[in-house]
Every structure is written in C-alpha cells, then in structure tokens.
Amino acid sequence: MEAKKEWYVLHTYSGYENKVRENIELRKESMNMEENIFRIVVPEEEIIEVVDGEEKKKVAKTFPGYVLIEMVMSDEAWFIVRNTPGVTGFVGSHGAGSKPSPLLEEEMNQILGDVETPVQRVELNVKVGDYVEIVEGAFSGLNGSIVEIDQEHQKLKVLLEMFGRETEAEIEFHQVKKQEI
C-alpha cells in the first residue's frame, strides 16, 4: 500500500516560522526527501493599518507559532521534520514517538484558500465616541461620531447628520479616517 501525502501542523517557536520553513526545505534537499516532503506553508494575511488617515500595509502570521507541511508520513520523513531546528513537535501527536493525525481536507482547503487569496484587514485605532471623516463611498465628505465598532467584520456604525436629521450608517474601516479634534 502506497502512503499518501497529507497536511500536518508543526508547532514552532513563535517568530521562527519562516526559518523553520527554510530549514525543512534545506533538509528535504540535502537528505533526498523530495518524494516524501512537498509543500511547507506559513499562513499569513495582509493587514492595512490606518494611522492619521494614511494606509500602511504589513503582513502578519495567521497562526503564529505554526507551520503547515504537506508530506507522506514515513518514519524517515517524520524523524527529519521532527528534528528540524525550531520545530517543537507535530500538533496531534500524543508523544512517545507516536505519529500525528493529518488535517482534514476541508480544513486545509479553507486555510489554503485564505493563504492563496489573502484577506486584507484594516487596523483602525478608534473607539466609540471618536469622530471620523468618511473618505470613500456614498457618504464621502461627511463627518460623524462612532456609535458601534465591529472588529470581526471591519465595520463601524457612524452617526451622521443628513438633511437636518441624525442618521446611523454602516461604514467599512477602509472608508474612514479618524478626525483629530
């Protein structure tokens, strides 16, 4: 029976994810393990931070301290990966030399989908009661105060004055800049 390649999760020292990926790539080549070790992925996302109305892009690890590896779980491949500098172990391994459980295909498809089409997140340093200027969209040019912040969906509820009345509008993070009063 031929073993099939599956995805596994490695636990690493936080901040060493890229170094672990490089080390495994080097070991894979030097120890002729190309038939057992395939892709090594450090999941990342692009974050747009808005500071004083200026957008700054930065890349952040989606799962700090973890690396994904596609491999055939042979004794030799397991030993080489497990003993790579910076790797503290496989997630799903119960110790005493036991082999880990692979990720489910649905889990990996979701993670890889996020890696291949990274989500842009905006980091906006505001709180309820702050005033913002809307710089994009249907309400562009208007000012209002924040009444609610939804970090997960990257949206604000802003109280605007339109036609002599206060109106609540839902605005996305990237559409505003904080007003300094």
Side-chain angles (χ1 to χ4, degrees):
M1 183 180 112
E2 190 176 313
K4 69 177 201 173
K5 61 182 179 180
E6 295 182 285
W7 284 95
Y8 297 89
V9 181
L10 298 175
H11 190 267
T12 68
Y13 295 115
S14 191
Y16 286 83
E17 300 88 356
N18 291 325
K19 190 67 177 160
V20 164
R21 182 182 63 219
E22 292 170 21
N23 286 340
I24 293 172
E25 290 286 356
L26 291 171
R27 291 169 65 99
K28 172 176 90 170
E29 292 171 22
S30 69
M31 297 178 176
N32 298 316
M33 293 301 293
E34 287 91 351
E35 299 294 315
N36 290 71
I37 300 171
F38 302 96
R39 294 188 287 173
I40 302 133
V41 176
V42 177
E44 298 176 325
E45 66 181 340
E46 188 175 272
I47 296 176
I48 300 172
E49 189 173 9
V50 180
V51 180
D52 298 328
E54 288 187 38
E55 290 185 358
K56 295 180 183 176
K57 292 182 181 185
K58 65 181 182 179
V59 176
K61 306 279 186 283
T62 308
F63 306 113
Y66 296 95
V67 173
L68 305 171
I69 184 166
E70 184 182 35
M71 62 186 281
V72 172
M73 188 51 73
S74 66
D75 288 342
E76 190 178 6
W78 174 81
F79 183 81
I80 288 169
V81 172
R82 172 70 185 89
N83 291 298
T84 299
V87 173
T88 59
F90 279 90
V91 173
S93 178
H94 303 292
S98 69
K99 300 286 190 318
S101 302
L103 284 172
L104 297 173
E105 191 173 332
E106 307 85 65
E107 294 172 316
M108 204 53 223
N109 289 339
Q110 184 179 359
I111 293 168
L112 276 183
D114 290 347
V115 170
E116 290 166 2
T117 56
V119 175
Q120 287 193 342
R121 296 190 55 79
V122 176
E123 230 173 72
L124 188 62
N125 187 17
V126 293
K127 60 187 181 306
V128 172
D130 284 351
Y131 283 87
V132 291
E133 178 185 346
I134 301 168
V135 294
E136 187 179 304
F139 301 109
S140 183
L142 296 177
N143 300 317
S145 65
I146 299 171
V147 292
E148 189 178 311
I149 301 171
D150 181 352
Q151 288 286 351
E152 184 180 342
H153 296 102
Q154 301 259 294
K155 295 186 179 198
L156 302 170
K157 283 199 179 159
V158 179
L159 203 53
L160 305 170
E161 188 173 317
M162 291 176 37
F163 311 116
R165 309 179 89 149
E166 286 190 332
T167 305
E168 201 172 274
E170 190 172 84
I171 311 290
E172 294 185 18
F173 280 15
H174 69 87
Q175 295 179 302
V176 301
K177 77 175 186 182
K178 184 176 178 180
Q179 275 191 321
E180 301 303 323
I181 295 176

